[in-house]
């Protein structure tokens, strides 16, 4: 496999990637959020004037609905200026190489945990919180088919 594409900076793609990664880490917080909402509702049912019940419910709702958007916004603010210049992506049978104008990274496919496919991109997961975004819309149909066949043959 030899695929080479230029990937312009796309803020929405970066937001989707950060949201994808944040959502993967949020399961314990969502469970805690549901527990807080139920506990808060029970306290409110017992005493409508209970400030603790309203506070616990508000905290649970924040865990359910506010943490991911806050995490994504924070992640966007923390991005290096080098990332906001677009990159060149080279995929071979052995390596995935990302070359920004000021930064370069190489990932050996042997270190890959898995590939998650969405309608817009593939996320090559190197660990639980590091994903290489491989956009489909910038690839020719033959390249998409080639990469899809390559990922199907990767050891799981």
């Amino acid at each position: 496999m030899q695929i080479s594409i230029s990937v312009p900076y796309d803020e929405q793609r970066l937001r989707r990637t950060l949201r994808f990664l944040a959502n993967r880490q949020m399961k314990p917080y969502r469970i805690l959020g549901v527990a807080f909402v139920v506990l808060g509702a029970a306290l409110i049912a017992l005493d409508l004037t209970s400030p603790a019940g309203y506070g616990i419910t508000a905290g649970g709702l924040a865990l359910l609905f506010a943490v991911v958007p806050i995490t994504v916004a924070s992640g966007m603010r923390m991005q290096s200026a080098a990332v906001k210049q677009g990159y060149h992506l080279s995929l071979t049978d052995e390596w995935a190489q990302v070359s920004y104008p000021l930064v370069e990274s190489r990932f050996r496919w042997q270190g890959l945990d898995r590939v998650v496919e969405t309608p817009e991109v593939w996320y090559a997961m190197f660990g639980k919180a590091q994903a290489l975004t491989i956009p489909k819309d910038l690839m020719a149909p033959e390249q998409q088919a080639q990469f899809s066949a390559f990922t199907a043959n990767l050891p799981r």
Side-chain angles (χ1 to χ4, degrees), residues 24 26 43 59 77 87 105 107-109 119 136 140 146 155:
R24 298 180 62 76
M26 289 305 301
L43 289 173
R77 282 191 306 274
Y87 58 93
S105 295
F107 302 91
R108 190 164 267 165
W109 291 115
K136 292 180 178 181
Q146 185 181 19

Side-chain angles (χ1 to χ4, degrees), residues 35-49:
F36 279 12
V37 167
V38 170
L39 176 62
L43 289 173
I44 292 168
L46 292 173
D47 179 9
L48 288 174
T49 62

Side-chain angles (χ1 to χ4, degrees), residues 112-132:
L112 182 75
D113 287 336
R114 72 182 165 287
V115 175
V116 178
E117 185 174 1
T118 70
E120 299 90 20
V121 299
W122 286 281
Y123 293 111
M125 299 296 299
F126 294 91
K128 293 183 179 188
Q130 184 174 9
L132 172 61

Side-chain angles (χ1 to χ4, degrees), residues 36-90:
F36 279 12
V37 167
V38 170
L39 176 62
L43 289 173
I44 292 168
L46 292 173
D47 179 9
L48 288 174
T49 62
S50 168
Y54 290 105
I56 291 171
T57 302
L61 291 171
L63 285 173
L64 286 171
F65 300 110
V67 174
V68 169
I70 290 169
T71 301
V72 170
S74 175
M76 290 297 292
R77 282 191 306 274
M78 290 191 296
Q79 293 302 310
S80 165
V83 172
K84 296 180 180 179
Q85 297 178 19
Y87 58 93
H88 186 80
L89 179 63
S90 298

